[in-house]
Amino acid sequence: MNEQKIDQYRRDFFTKATATAATGVIAPGVMLMQVGQAQARPLDQAASNKNRWGLLIDSNKCADGCSDCVKACESENAWGSGSTDEQKSDAGQKAQWIRTVTLKNKLTSKEHQLPMMCQHCEQPPCVDVCPTGASFKRADGIVLVDKHICIGCRYCMMACPYKARSFIHEDLHDQSPDVPRGKGTVESCTLCVHKIDRGDGTTACAEACTHQAILFGDLNDPNSTISIEMKKHATTQIRADLNLNTGVRYRGI
Amino acid sequence: MKPVVHYSAIEGRSLAFWGLLGTFGLFLVLGLGAVWVMEHNGHHVTGMNNQIIWGLPHVFAVFMIIAASGILNVASIASVFGKKMYKPLSRLSALMAIAFLGGGLMVLMLDLGRPDRLVIAATYLNPKSVFAWNILLYPGFFAAVGAYIWFMMERRMNRYTHQIGLFAFVWRLLLTTGTGSIFGFVVARNGYDAAVLAPMFIIMSFGFGLAIYLLSLMATCRWTGRELGDSVVRQLKNLLGVFIAAMFYFVFVFHLTSLYGTENHSFENFILVDGGLFTQLFWIGWVGVGLVLPLAIVYHPSMSKSRAWIGIACAMVIAGGLASMYVIIIGGQAFPMSIFPGFEVSSSFGDGQIASYAPSIWELGLGIGGIALALAMTTFAIKVLPFVPDSLSDELMDPHYTPAKEVEVEAETDAA
Ligand code: SF4
């Protein structure tokens, strides 16, 4: 409880501090660069907790058999078919940042599918268990692995309730400069953090989904499309029982 | 005059001694070779994958780490609970505790994806991580038990052995709880989310540790020609019987509490009824070989008097222990996590399916290498320092040996 209060205090402090700094020093330039709900983040400025990036996934709209989001993620982040690497790893060893899961209702046999990836929890179990702090959450809610201090213990994979993480089982050579990966470390969906920081205002999967099943946005901004949609419709968190307050929400499960 | 227990380093000049040390060394080198293959190629040469995240190395490592703290029990019985008979057994107990923790940690560390970053593990500690707590508990254990050995061997420090022994005892309980908690804190998986896991690990550590100790003690005395009286063997094997019974009880409670929650029924069904290899390992390995048979042997009227049978019972507890670790660690991962309760799920990432795992020779090599390291350390240490008593004969050890007068083991000296 106490810790939460301190966290809250810290959050408030940083919000105010960054807000003041932003208006005082760089606000004019930044304002001009605004793209939709997002803006490019200058390299010398830390991610801000004013934002909480997230996704709203509508599984009713997700088309059976479609895997456009998976393919887009592969090529954006250079894994799977988006890279010539991981040839020696078998199917169970290959990385998978996003996957489509088919759900079949046990009673009615009705089937539907949805994309699954890191749920970018507010209380991420992978961050709690990581011995080195390599698994961390950015101020804007994105959960990442720092590949430079990950020792490859895989405790975070054991702890993740969504099986969202993969371990790299061999040397890699064909990588994207925006997306560092490496043998012996763990990785998962980054919510296209490089695109967000660049100011693209969306993720590869959301961009690629022609069925509009994936909506990217700022959960902290009451006027963002994602917040408005979430106010209008009933949404769910996967494994809501664990109280992780996920950044990825679903409709129609 | 009271009889005095003398300790001396073993001679260790025979061909058999060097042959034994050489064999352990060979397995250690083979284990390190396996590590080289794994780290050079990456983990794709192992049977581990993104579903079975922790494989055979963890089975060995966790087994050895909890056994290490159990081995120390023999010393704790003497120093903490004041049982004089166990005092001459303490030095070897402390030594082997350090050796097995060392072997277990070697396996754990060398299975990391980036063992070259060990320094990072020691310098960037995340205070919330149970794993990080363990990283602090291990060196503390080495230090406490190391000091304990020193206090026992150095006459000036003898009078503090009780205090340091108590400290080491508390530390070992923390260590086993910490190891058990690594799994207990994984709330997402049906097989691990149980408060009973940590105490169960403590009881298991008692059993595994004593089995390893008793087997090693009998082998050491036999191979060095030192007398080992029946009274010591009888006491230790009776204690082993108690520990096996306690382990039995905990396995029972563990599965009963699991069965109590409806959400765990399918997991329990998997382990107990239709989990294939896991079910076999549970019933035949863990329960049959690890509990029922050794329990029968140590309480059998005639078998329990035979050292060969007692040795076999110890080996069974060890084998059953490895099987239990396999069931807990691998079985707990093989069973699909329930991400979408109420649905049948399928995907390209193994959702809804029992994960398959075929351990590779490299993982086995690493695990055996860890055991070899522990045994080599022990064998070498008893040659250079006085760990083993010259004699553990009934005359020295059994207070009732000469019923007419009370014989006590009080003073201890080292052979010059
Ligand atoms: S694998 Fe890396 S990120 Fe995951 S818990 Fe271990 S050190 Fe942390």
Coordinates of all heavy atoms in Angstrom, one line a residue, chain A residues 126 129-135 145 149-157 165 186, ligand 1:
Chain A
C126 N 6.8 -10.5 -15.0 CA 8.2 -10.7 -15.6 C 9.1 -9.7 -15.0 O 10.3 -10.0 -14.8 CB 8.1 -10.6 -17.1 SG 7.5 -9.0 -17.7
V129 N 10.0 -10.7 -11.2 CA 10.9 -11.9 -11.0 C 12.3 -11.7 -11.6 O 13.2 -12.3 -11.1 CB 10.3 -13.2 -11.6 CG1 9.0 -13.5 -10.9 CG2 10.2 -13.1 -13.1
C130 N 12.5 -10.8 -12.5 CA 13.8 -10.7 -13.2 C 14.9 -10.3 -12.2 O 14.8 -9.3 -11.5 CB 13.7 -9.6 -14.3 SG 15.3 -9.4 -15.1
P131 N 15.9 -11.2 -12.1 CA 17.0 -10.9 -11.1 C 17.8 -9.7 -11.3 O 18.3 -9.1 -10.4 CB 17.8 -12.2 -11.1 CG 17.6 -12.8 -12.4 CD 16.2 -12.4 -12.8
T132 N 17.9 -9.3 -12.6 CA 18.9 -8.2 -12.9 C 18.1 -6.9 -13.2 O 18.8 -5.8 -13.3 CB 19.7 -8.5 -14.1 OG1 18.9 -8.6 -15.2 CG2 20.5 -9.8 -14.0
G133 N 16.8 -6.9 -13.3 CA 16.1 -5.7 -13.7 C 16.2 -5.5 -15.2 O 15.8 -4.4 -15.7
A134 N 16.6 -6.5 -16.0 CA 16.6 -6.4 -17.4 C 15.2 -6.3 -18.0 O 15.0 -5.6 -19.0 CB 17.3 -7.6 -18.1
S135 N 14.3 -7.0 -17.4 CA 12.9 -6.9 -17.7 C 12.3 -5.7 -17.0 O 12.3 -5.7 -15.8 CB 12.2 -8.2 -17.3 OG 10.9 -8.2 -17.7
V145 N 12.6 -5.7 -22.6 CA 13.8 -6.4 -22.1 C 15.0 -5.7 -22.5 O 15.2 -5.4 -23.7 CB 13.9 -7.9 -22.6 CG1 15.2 -8.5 -22.0 CG2 12.7 -8.7 -22.2
I149 N 21.5 -6.3 -20.3 CA 21.7 -6.9 -18.9 C 20.9 -8.2 -18.7 O 21.0 -8.8 -17.6 CB 21.4 -5.9 -17.8 CG1 20.1 -5.2 -18.0 CG2 22.5 -4.9 -17.6 CD1 19.7 -4.2 -16.9
C150 N 20.2 -8.7 -19.7 CA 19.5 -9.9 -19.6 C 20.6 -11.1 -19.6 O 21.4 -11.1 -20.4 CB 18.6 -10.2 -20.8 SG 17.9 -11.8 -20.8
I151 N 20.5 -11.9 -18.5 CA 21.4 -13.0 -18.4 C 20.9 -14.3 -19.0 O 21.5 -15.4 -18.9 CB 21.9 -13.2 -17.0 CG1 20.7 -13.5 -16.0 CG2 22.8 -12.1 -16.5 CD1 21.1 -13.9 -14.6
G152 N 19.7 -14.3 -19.5 CA 19.1 -15.5 -20.1 C 18.7 -16.5 -19.1 O 18.7 -17.7 -19.4
C153 N 18.2 -16.1 -17.9 CA 17.8 -17.1 -16.9 C 16.4 -17.7 -17.2 O 16.0 -18.7 -16.8 CB 17.8 -16.5 -15.5 SG 16.5 -15.3 -15.3
R154 N 15.6 -16.9 -18.0 CA 14.3 -17.3 -18.4 C 13.2 -17.4 -17.3 O 12.2 -18.0 -17.5 CB 14.4 -18.7 -19.2 CG 15.5 -18.6 -20.1 CD 15.9 -19.7 -20.9 NE 16.1 -21.0 -20.5 CZ 17.3 -21.5 -20.0 NH1 18.3 -20.7 -19.9 NH2 17.4 -22.7 -19.6
Y155 N 13.5 -16.8 -16.2 CA 12.6 -16.7 -15.1 C 11.3 -16.0 -15.5 O 10.2 -16.3 -15.2 CB 13.2 -16.1 -13.9 CG 12.5 -16.4 -12.6 CD1 11.4 -17.3 -12.5 CD2 12.9 -15.7 -11.4 CE1 10.8 -17.5 -11.3 CE2 12.2 -16.0 -10.2 CZ 11.2 -16.8 -10.1 OH 10.5 -17.1 -8.9
C156 N 11.6 -14.9 -16.3 CA 10.4 -14.1 -16.8 C 9.5 -14.9 -17.7 O 8.3 -14.7 -17.6 CB 10.9 -12.9 -17.5 SG 12.1 -13.2 -18.9
M157 N 10.0 -15.8 -18.4 CA 9.2 -16.7 -19.3 C 8.3 -17.6 -18.4 O 7.2 -17.9 -18.8 CB 10.0 -17.5 -20.3 CG 10.8 -16.7 -21.2 SD 11.9 -17.7 -22.2 CE 10.8 -18.5 -23.3
R165 N 6.7 -14.5 -24.1 CA 8.1 -14.3 -24.3 C 8.8 -15.5 -25.0 O 8.4 -16.6 -24.9 CB 8.8 -14.0 -23.0 CG 8.5 -12.6 -22.5 CD 9.4 -12.1 -21.5 NE 9.3 -10.6 -21.5 CZ 9.8 -9.8 -20.6 NH1 10.7 -10.3 -19.7 NH2 9.6 -8.5 -20.7
V186 N 16.2 -13.0 -23.8 CA 14.7 -13.2 -23.9 C 14.1 -11.9 -24.6 O 14.7 -10.8 -24.4 CB 14.1 -13.4 -22.6 CG1 12.6 -13.3 -22.6 CG2 14.4 -14.8 -22.1
Ligands
SF4_1 S1 15.7 -13.9 -18.9 FE1 16.6 -11.8 -18.9 S2 14.8 -10.5 -18.8 FE2 14.1 -12.5 -18.2 S3 14.2 -12.6 -16.0 FE3 16.1 -13.4 -16.8 S4 17.5 -11.7 -16.8 FE4 15.4 -10.9 -16.6

